[in-house]
Amino acid sequence: MQVNSKDITEKLTFREKRMVISRLLREIHLLAPTFIVITVMKQLCSVAVGYIGIYISTMVLNGLQEGRVAENLIPRVLLWMLATLALYLLTGKLSNESEVIKSHSWELLDARMAVKNMEMNYPDLDSPYVNKLYSRMEEDNRWGSGIYGGFDNLEKLCYQAFNAVFAVAMLIPVLQQLLARRNPLTYVFFAVLVLAILCNGLGERCFGKKITEYMALWTNDKPEDTNLMWYYAVYDGISMENRKDVKLYEVEDLLKEYTFVHGREFLKHKDNLVAGASGRREFIVNVLNAGVRGVCYLFLTLIAAGGGMAAGMLIRYVACFERLTNSVQNMLHDAQAFVLVARRQSTMFEFLDIQGSFYEGKLPVEKRSDNEYEVEFRDVSFQYPGREEYALRHFNLKLRIGERMAVVGKNGSGKTTMIKLLCRLYEPTEGAIYLNGVDIRKFDYCEYMRLFSVVFQDFSLFDYSIAENVATGEQYDAEKVRDCLIQAGFGDRLKSLAGGIETLIGKGFDEEGILFSGGERQKIAIARALYKDSPFILLDEPTAALDPVAEYEVYSAFDEMVQGKTAIYISHRLSSCRFCDDILVFDRGEAVQRGSHEALMADREGLYYALYTAQAQYYESDAEKAGG
């Protein structure tokens, strides 16, 4: 059972608390198996140092009061000082080790999240459910220190627990002494002491819960709340990808409105609530603490005045009483904080626990020496996750190795959806896709994906070397990389680069990296598709940044490169696809026309004719202007 962090203001049952705490502890142990052992040792040493100080001061004061010779005390004091020094040194070493472990654990968690992202099926990553989890995780980690807070609170809880245990151990003699007296005031003393400690804890629990609720206003799940708009204005609105439009359209004023005007009242309201609850908590807790100390001082002083306790012992027991009450208060506070951290990380745990929705087939893809493959769409329909309308409806298509097809149509007509289904980035909502007569879902997923080299319009290059981007790995055939870049039209640019194929793309790792133009990046992406050398080559408008003439040249040259392979070209410029004998026309999720350019142009009532003539009119107009 998952407890979602959006329910942060709702009360948890004992079972739910136990579950979120248990999961957080398991995660901490998974990231840092030695952390709990080191924490126990560190806090044990840290607490022991404090109580050694109390013990030494008591011993010295009692010795002086009893008239002991100083020479007899000095060796014992020196011995305890050496023990204290040893504990300080050990505590310092353990603290350093703990900080390294915590820092490393944070990095391991980031790596684990990255691996989870890479291993997840594409439809899961693109689902509204996962996008919601991403949003929640981002806000939860903005609010606090993420799982790092779990490490810190665990250390604090351990320290306070040892503090309480040591205090009780040192208080046992005086408690026995008080009980042995059988004085009615003794029972009054115990009743007041227990009541004060319970009230102290109750005050911490009640007001601490209120503070938690008020702080949770930061992550209210309602999109109309100003706090989310404030967050967007402060963090996302000024991101680098938005910076150009912010400057050009003077969006600063709009963002400032949400940053300083609309958000101010909400922030003031939230801060007043938190400050008020914190103030009331501090007042109640301090009054109760003062009462506990007063009761302890009163009764212990009366005992010491009656000769039942040495002055040094009085100091020891008063100090222990104070430490005990403070430990109870702090344990309750830290326990609440630990539960809160666990609840806020529950969204991350929910993300890590997502199981893939794809059926991972096991059937190996047939390795044909003749490279004969046939793909068939049979009555395929598809809806994107979270959407009601169909992106593709009752689509049928057969493709054999060596065929060329251009796919055209308006934006949103289903062209890219067909490619994503073919590459099994998504599963059909209805119908099925077959490879040589076998449902593609039965094939080993990785083997099936090796059949396709795809260049999407929104392709990605990474801040590594050109060669590593083309070969998608650290090990590569340098000569093949160069050949593919030359075939993709990047040869002249490559000659001008001092680092050649080792040149870094972007400046993510090195200021010497190159920020290539959109057209140059597209050529590198095409070279990557060529290097993969798959039977199917799919180009989904990767040349959108090029002018029509350059795009036609790239497609024509690419057509020569992929002899013997199946190639599908998607372009919004119909003139670039005339070299294909087979053109498929999409409209509103359906294939409405298919044929050669000449055959499609002969149908003057068809969509292809309307689109082509409309585009040709613009091209001719531009040419006339240039000539004029």
Side-chain angles (χ1 to χ4, degrees):
M1 179 181 178
Q2 288 290 342
V3 181
N4 196 298
S5 61
K6 73 179 180 180
D7 302 320
I8 200 71
T9 61
E10 296 179 12
K11 186 177 180 180
L12 290 182
T13 64
F14 176 77
R15 180 171 176 269
E16 289 170 335
K17 286 183 180 180
R18 187 185 65 189
M19 288 178 63
V20 294
I21 291 172
S22 174
R23 179 58 192 271
L24 180 56
L25 288 173
R26 290 202 310 271
E27 197 67 30
I28 289 174
H29 179 71
L30 179 65
L31 295 170
T34 61
F35 176 76
I36 293 178
V37 174
I38 289 176
T39 295
V40 169
M41 295 173 60
K42 170 189 168 184
Q43 303 306 338
L44 186 59
C45 293
S46 182
V47 171
V49 167
Y51 281 95
I52 285 176
I54 294 174
Y55 181 82
I56 291 175
S57 61
T58 301
M59 181 183 67
V60 171
L61 188 57
N62 286 343
L64 294 174
Q65 187 180 17
E66 295 169 4
R68 296 180 192 172
V69 181
E71 287 79 0
N72 294 333
L73 293 174
I74 291 175
R76 298 173 66 183
V77 171
L78 289 175
L79 181 62
W80 284 109
M81 288 177 63
L82 287 174
T84 302
L85 177 61
L87 288 174
Y88 269 126
L89 293 174
L90 183 56
T91 302
K93 180 174 177 56
L94 292 171
S95 294
N96 290 338
E97 187 70 20
S98 176
E99 289 304 316
V100 170
I101 288 174
K102 287 191 288 185
S103 178
H104 185 52
S105 298
W106 188 284
E107 295 163 353
L108 285 177
L109 182 61
D110 285 344
R112 188 177 171 200
M113 295 290 288
V115 169
K116 179 66 178 180
N117 271 288
M118 288 185 281
E119 291 178 344
M120 285 180 67
N121 299 136
Y122 190 83
D124 293 328
L125 284 172
D126 194 36
S127 69
Y129 165 67
V130 171
N131 287 328
K132 184 67 174 177
L133 286 181
Y134 271 123
S135 176
R136 295 299 309 169
M137 284 189 289
E138 183 179 358
E139 289 187 16
D140 286 344
N141 285 313
R142 277 178 180 171
W143 185 88
S145 54
I147 200 169
Y148 203 89
F151 284 89
D152 285 343
N153 280 291
L154 189 58
E155 287 184 313
K156 292 175 182 177
L157 276 170
C158 188
Y159 176 84
Q160 299 301 339
F162 281 130
N163 212 2
V165 169
F166 273 70
V168 170
M170 295 189 76
L171 282 171
I172 286 176
V174 72
L175 295 177
Q176 291 175 335
Q177 187 176 357
L178 288 172
L179 289 172
R181 289 176 175 270
R182 298 185 179 276
N183 188 320
L185 289 177
T186 300
Y187 298 105
V188 175
F189 165 70
F190 275 104
V192 172
L193 181 62
V194 171
L195 182 62
I197 292 175
L198 290 177
C199 290
N200 191 318
L202 186 62
E204 175 61 41
R205 178 178 175 80
C206 294
F207 288 107
K209 184 176 184 297
K210 278 295 180 185
I211 293 171
T212 299
E213 292 176 358
Y214 295 147
M215 290 299 291
L217 289 171
W218 280 102
T219 52
N220 196 309
D221 219 28
K222 299 176 182 177
E224 67 271 14
D225 282 352
T226 308
N227 60 320
L228 295 182
M229 297 180 181
W230 182 88
Y231 261 131
Y232 181 83
V234 172
Y235 295 104
D236 301 322
I238 57 172
S239 64
M240 280 303 297
E241 62 183 12
N242 294 340
R243 195 66 57 83
K244 294 190 296 295
D245 290 315
V246 169
K247 291 298 182 185
L248 288 171
Y249 293 97
E250 300 181 2
V251 188
E252 295 101 326
D253 292 339
L254 176 62
L255 295 175
K256 287 176 183 177
E257 282 289 312
Y258 283 108
T259 302
F260 296 110
V261 180
H262 296 302
R264 181 171 295 171
E265 288 303 315
F266 170 81
L267 296 175
K268 184 178 179 181
H269 171 64
K270 186 269 303 179
D271 290 336
N272 284 337
L273 290 175
V274 173
S278 296
R280 289 189 293 274
R281 179 187 68 178
E282 290 300 318
F283 175 77
I284 297 296
V285 167
N286 288 336
V287 168
L288 291 171
N289 277 337
V292 171
R293 291 188 182 94
V295 170
C296 290
Y297 278 123
L298 177 61
F299 279 87
L300 292 174
T301 301
L302 290 174
I303 294 171
M309 184 185 300
M313 299 304 291
L314 174 63
I315 294 175
R316 176 191 297 183
Y317 294 139
V318 168
C320 289
F321 270 120
E322 287 197 16
R323 282 179 173 250
L324 178 60
T325 54
N326 287 336
S327 293
V328 171
Q329 174 192 339
N330 292 332
M331 271 196 293
L332 289 169
H333 178 273
D334 294 336
Q336 285 189 143
F338 190 75
V339 172
L340 181 59
V341 170
R343 294 183 70 180
R344 288 202 173 276
Q345 295 309 298
S346 63
T347 312
M348 180 189 70
F349 300 147
E350 191 174 345
F351 174 75
L352 290 172
D353 290 341
I354 291 175
Q355 300 297 316
S357 59
F358 263 19
Y359 170 72
E360 298 286 348
K362 297 181 179 179
L363 189 67
V365 175
E366 183 182 8
K367 308 297 190 300
R368 299 183 60 102
S369 58
D370 57 5
N371 214 27
E372 285 292 325
Y373 294 100
E374 180 184 78
V375 170
E376 180 182 5
F377 287 76
R378 294 184 191 173
D379 197 32
V380 170
S381 298
F382 178 71
Q383 290 173 296
Y384 281 99
R387 299 183 188 176
E388 295 183 0
E389 69 277 9
Y390 278 84
L392 211 61
R393 291 285 291 177
H394 303 297
F395 178 67
N396 295 279
L397 177 69
K398 278 188 179 182
L399 281 172
R400 295 185 62 84
I401 287 293
E403 294 181 343
R404 305 283 189 277
M405 174 178 283
V407 180
V408 299
K410 298 177 181 178
N411 289 336
S413 60
K415 307 186 297 296
T416 298
T417 299
M418 180 195 74
I419 299 297
K420 290 179 177 179
L421 290 172
L422 177 60
C423 296
R424 213 185 163 200
L425 292 176
Y426 291 100
E427 299 280 21
T429 306
E430 301 168 11
I433 304 171
Y434 296 85
L435 175 65
N436 290 346
V438 179
D439 191 326
I440 63 173
R441 287 172 289 195
K442 296 182 179 180
F443 290 111
D444 179 273
Y445 184 72
C446 293
E447 283 197 26
Y448 179 77
M449 292 291 284
R450 294 190 189 107
L451 297 175
F452 301 94
S453 293
V454 188
V455 184
F456 287 108
Q457 182 178 357
D458 55 349
F459 64 87
S460 298
L461 295 181
F462 306 95
D463 283 10
Y464 299 122
S465 69
I466 294 175
E468 288 171 324
N469 272 274
V470 172
T472 63
E474 290 186 287
Q475 305 299 322
Y476 50 82
D477 182 336
E479 199 59 40
K480 184 179 178 181
V481 169
R482 292 189 188 93
D483 289 343
C484 291
L485 288 166
I486 292 170
Q487 290 181 64
F490 194 76
D492 292 340
R493 185 70 172 99
L494 185 63
K495 292 177 183 178
S496 68
L497 300 174
I501 61 174
E502 301 298 328
T503 302
L504 290 177
I505 297 176
K507 300 183 182 294
F509 304 116
D510 194 332
E511 283 298 318
E512 298 300 319
I514 304 297
L515 297 173
F516 292 105
S517 68
E520 291 169 338
R521 291 173 62 85
Q522 287 170 334
K523 291 175 181 178
I524 296 173
I526 292 173
R528 179 169 61 191
L530 292 173
Y531 188 94
K532 189 177 180 182
D533 196 24
S534 301
F536 292 86
I537 304 290
L538 314 173
L539 299 185
D540 183 10
E541 299 193 57
T543 54
L546 303 178
D547 60 71
V549 175
E551 181 184 47
Y552 180 79
E553 291 174 352
V554 169
Y555 277 159
S556 298
F558 197 79
D559 191 54
E560 294 296 323
M561 304 173 206
V562 296
Q563 295 298 324
K565 302 178 187 295
T566 300
I568 299 178
Y569 306 95
I570 296 179
S571 178
H572 66 284
R573 296 191 186 112
L574 278 65
S575 59
S576 300
C577 304
R578 291 184 59 180
F579 65 87
C580 282
D581 293 331
D582 192 10
I583 300 174
L584 186 66
V585 185
F586 271 90
D587 185 38
R588 298 179 182 178
E590 298 182 14
V592 295
Q593 288 181 285
R594 184 174 181 179
S596 66
H597 171 74
E598 290 74 18
L600 293 173
M601 287 298 291
D603 181 8
R604 298 194 169 220
E605 300 298 321
L607 178 61
Y608 183 85
Y609 179 84
L611 293 174
Y612 188 88
T613 52
Q615 290 187 6
Q617 178 182 1
Y618 288 116
Y619 295 147
E620 290 170 4
S621 176
D622 290 342
E624 289 173 1
K625 290 178 181 178

